[in-house]
Amino acid sequence: MPRKTGVQENRGHTSTDDFITRTYILPILADKARRKAITDEHRSNPIGKPGLAGKAGVGHSEDLRRVLDKFRRAPQAGKYVMVQVKAHADYRIGIASGVRGKPLRMLPKSFASQDDCEHGIFLKRVKDIMTLYGVR
């Protein structure tokens, strides 16, 4: 069987993403004070707030934007997603298979609001990336 090429293995994207992660994301997560700051910020404003009635929206800090952008670039397989089980009452974290039509794997923990579930996903993603790169 012939070896796969770099394009078939998506090495260009993988190498670039790894460089971005090591250069821009890990310094934020490795610094306990910065990690706590973005975690607290995300807890209080997980998806940002749009402007209303002529007032400016509330965005995220540069550090939090960088980390969220990293998470958004993740492949679909294994990605955490929010699932509304019962309207306005029960939200869960699902794990995408990456295969169209294949059901999500649902985690058992229930969240009372969308914001709480979004923050739960954020915490899982932070933990996963820190584990993957050996950051404590």
Side-chain angles (χ1 to χ4, degrees), residues 52-76:
L52 295 171
K55 295 182 181 166
V58 179
H60 292 129
S61 67
E62 180 67 27
D63 280 353
L64 181 54
R65 276 197 313 268
R66 283 184 182 198
V67 172
L68 291 174
D69 285 346
K70 162 63 182 167
F71 294 157
R72 290 179 183 120
R73 288 191 309 270
Q76 286 301 312

Side-chain angles (χ1 to χ4, degrees), residues 14 22 28 93 108 128 136:
T14 303
R22 291 179 186 279
I28 296 168
I93 298 173
D128 287 354
R136 298 200 189 277

Side-chain angles (χ1 to χ4, degrees), residues 2-21:
R3 290 179 52 189
K4 288 186 175 182
T5 66
V7 172
Q8 289 169 322
E9 292 180 350
N10 203 16
R11 281 191 224 144
H13 169 76
T14 303
S15 296
T16 302
D17 189 61
D18 181 64
F19 172 80
I20 291 168
T21 301

Side-chain angles (χ1 to χ4, degrees), residues 78 80 122-134:
Y80 299 117
F122 176 80
L123 294 176
K124 290 185 97 29
R125 288 176 175 164
V126 167
K127 182 181 176 192
D128 287 354
I129 198 168
M130 290 177 65
T131 300
L132 179 65
Y133 283 90

Side-chain angles (χ1 to χ4, degrees), residues 1-50:
M1 175 180 250
R3 290 179 52 189
K4 288 186 175 182
T5 66
V7 172
Q8 289 169 322
E9 292 180 350
N10 203 16
R11 281 191 224 144
H13 169 76
T14 303
S15 296
T16 302
D17 189 61
D18 181 64
F19 172 80
I20 291 168
T21 301
R22 291 179 186 279
T23 305
Y24 300 106
I25 306 305
L26 294 183
I28 296 168
L29 299 179
D31 181 317
K32 289 181 182 180
R34 287 174 82 183
R35 186 172 67 237
K36 182 180 180 339
I38 66 166
T39 300
D40 292 346
E41 177 185 356
H42 189 272
R43 181 180 292 113
S44 68
N45 184 17
I47 59 171
K49 306 237 186 293

